[in-house]
Amino acid sequence: MGLRANPTYRQRRFGAEVRAIREGAGLTAGEAAAVMGMQASHISNVESGRTPLSRERLRALVEASRCKDTTYVDALVEMGQASGKGWWTEYRDRLRPSLLDLAELEDGACDIVCYEPMFVPGLLQTEEYATAGYRDGYTSASRSEQDREVEFRMHRQAVLSGEHAPRLHAVIHEAALHVSFGDPAIRRGQLIRLLEAAELPNVTLQILPFDGAVAFGTSFTTLRPSVRALSTVIVAHIERSLYLGEADSLARYNDWFAKLCEVALPSTSGERRPGSYSVKDSCGLIQRLLYPLL
């Protein structure tokens, strides 16, 4: 089997976990290769995600290591054996690989937590809002490329209503609720969409108000599978988003998200009578902002 030219995030993450197990056991590449019955030169390709590792060889490495967490090992075996195929596969060679990585992570997540200081999270955007964001943004993509990315974003949203839908907990700064892209109808439709999303049993929505605590300046999303140690934090950046999976990074962003939840307005159901616009909770604030646009 030839080496992968462009391994996916999942494949690179699997390799990083294999390396962590090897290093945790104090094994050199040569010693680990001997344990697994393979060439030492093969190890670097496994650890970089450029070639797979059989379940038998992975379990042999685990047996020689200090790793005793069978739940983690079983999940890692599954990660290594996954085909990586899903609805997003049809977009391969048509979209940036990072978007396909995101869709695959969302598909395998049990929980998705995110913080957005300026825009509504992609999983909760209306098509009009997403389209305007691409049209008025700084992307150099062509109109057809923009339309394809909007289509992809709308397709991603199906994960919230699937058979094994993850729980989504979003903290959004109030600034994001004022974005209209010059069209009040876009803003109105987006605020209504947020209220509808808040009624879903697997969605928790909190707003960080202008008059609340100092906002955290960078948007980030944590995607958590059934085994939390295999979670990933995606930190948005104008050049290239960061994908973080190290234990200290996960702990740091989990702590920051917990603090954001503490200072944001509490989440409540979007089910309210018209005219009930209390700003003491998140949906009340959204409704108060929506009222002048109706």
Side-chain angles (χ1 to χ4, degrees):
M1 180 182 294
L3 298 179
R4 300 163 178 148
N6 298 294
T8 66
Y9 170 77
R10 176 185 53 79
Q11 291 163 344
R12 297 193 304 273
R13 178 62 183 278
F14 174 79
E17 295 294 323
V18 171
R19 181 175 62 251
I21 292 173
R22 175 179 64 79
E23 292 176 345
L27 298 174
T28 65
E31 291 168 339
V35 165
M36 292 186 284
M38 56 196 294
Q39 297 294 322
S41 59
H42 193 180
I43 294 292
S44 62
N45 289 322
V46 169
E47 294 181 355
S48 64
R50 292 170 60 81
T51 194
L53 184 67
S54 71
R55 68 181 74 225
E56 294 78 16
R57 283 175 166 167
L58 175 57
R59 290 194 182 279
L61 177 63
V62 170
E63 185 67 25
S65 75
R66 302 186 184 96
C67 182
K68 305 302 179 185
D69 187 341
T70 57
T71 302
Y72 162 78
V73 172
D74 289 344
L76 187 59
V77 169
E78 184 178 344
M79 174 187 284
Q81 297 300 309
S83 69
K85 295 180 180 179
W87 65 264
W88 55 88
T89 306
E90 65 181 272
Y91 289 90
R92 189 167 294 166
D93 300 325
R94 299 169 58 203
L95 289 177
R96 291 172 285 145
S98 60
L99 292 178
L100 307 183
D101 288 338
L102 174 59
E104 185 175 4
L105 285 171
E106 289 173 340
D107 184 70
C110 294
D111 292 276
I112 301 173
V113 303
C114 63
Y115 167 68
E116 286 287 349
M118 287 298 297
F119 300 102
V120 170
L123 289 177
L124 300 176
Q125 291 180 6
T126 65
E127 185 171 355
E128 294 75 16
Y129 183 101
T131 300
Y134 275 98
R135 297 286 189 268
D136 297 336
Y138 299 97
T139 177
S140 59
S142 67
R143 180 64 64 90
S144 61
E145 290 171 331
Q146 293 176 12
D147 290 343
R148 192 177 304 125
E149 292 204 13
V150 170
E151 175 188 296
F152 186 79
R153 183 171 298 179
M154 296 300 103
H155 202 156
R156 280 174 47 215
Q157 294 181 1
V159 73
L160 294 179
S161 56
E163 183 179 355
H164 303 290
R167 294 176 293 272
L168 172 66
H169 188 165
V171 175
I172 307 171
H173 195 276
E174 184 181 346
L177 306 183
H178 291 265
V179 174
S180 67
F181 301 105
D183 185 347
I186 291 177
R187 184 183 176 209
R188 179 174 63 248
Q190 184 59 71
L191 293 178
I192 292 173
R193 168 72 177 116
L194 288 176
L195 290 173
E196 292 172 344
E199 297 180 13
L200 296 175
N202 58 319
V203 173
T204 299
L205 185 63
Q206 289 185 262
I207 305 300
L208 185 62
F210 280 130
D211 60 358
V214 175
F216 190 86
T218 302
S219 65
F220 63 89
T221 299
T222 301
L223 300 114
R224 300 169 177 163
S226 58
V227 174
R228 292 296 182 89
L230 295 176
S231 298
T232 298
V233 177
I234 302 176
V235 185
H237 191 276
I238 192 169
E239 291 288 343
R240 178 182 296 175
S241 294
L242 300 176
Y243 281 63
L244 307 174
E246 302 81 5
D248 59 341
S249 295
L250 294 174
R252 188 165 61 252
Y253 278 91
N254 286 341
D255 182 59
W256 284 336
F257 188 77
K259 291 177 179 177
L260 286 165
C261 292
E262 289 178 2
V263 298
L265 295 174
S267 174
T268 60
S269 169
E271 297 177 356
R272 289 175 174 273
R273 297 196 317 271
S276 176
Y277 303 112
S278 169
V279 296
K280 294 182 179 180
D281 59 67
S282 296
C283 286
L285 175 55
I286 297 172
Q287 288 180 320
R288 182 174 69 85
L289 295 175
L290 174 62
Y291 180 69
L293 300 174
L294 295 176

